[in-house]
Amino acid sequence: MGNQQPYPNYQQANPNAYYQDRHLQSQTLSAISPAVSHGLREAHYLGYQHALTEAVAIGYLMGKGYNYDTAWQTVESWWRPQGTPLPNMY
């Protein structure tokens, strides 16, 4: 192995990268918190696979620009017959 770096594509970060990363981390975790909470509640009723699928789908839609409420309603509608009302948000 010699002097080979463990992550060859990783470049030396600039001095402010740590603080930028911490801000990004905080911002990201805050943004997805409602989807994670939804998934944890859903797991009690529908199982982990379904709950994780919903939570990740909600997070994906949020990343595409949907707000949480719209993403949640969209994902919930995928598993309901047309015309069936959505459940109350927890």
Side-chain angles (χ1 to χ4, degrees), residues 17-75:
Y18 174 79
Y19 298 104
Q20 292 169 352
D21 288 347
R22 298 298 278 171
H23 178 69
L24 180 61
Q25 175 189 10
S26 176
Q27 196 175 31
T28 301
L29 296 178
S30 178
I32 66 164
S33 179
V36 171
S37 295
H38 172 76
L40 290 171
R41 287 186 299 267
E42 287 277 302
H44 291 289
Y45 303 104
L46 301 173
Y48 290 106
Q49 182 172 352
H50 183 84
L52 282 170
T53 300
E54 280 196 17
V56 170
I58 290 168
Y60 175 81
L61 291 176
M62 290 171 67
K64 297 291 266 181
Y66 291 76
N67 65 35
Y68 172 75
D69 291 342
T70 303
W72 173 82
Q73 290 172 357
T74 301
V75 171

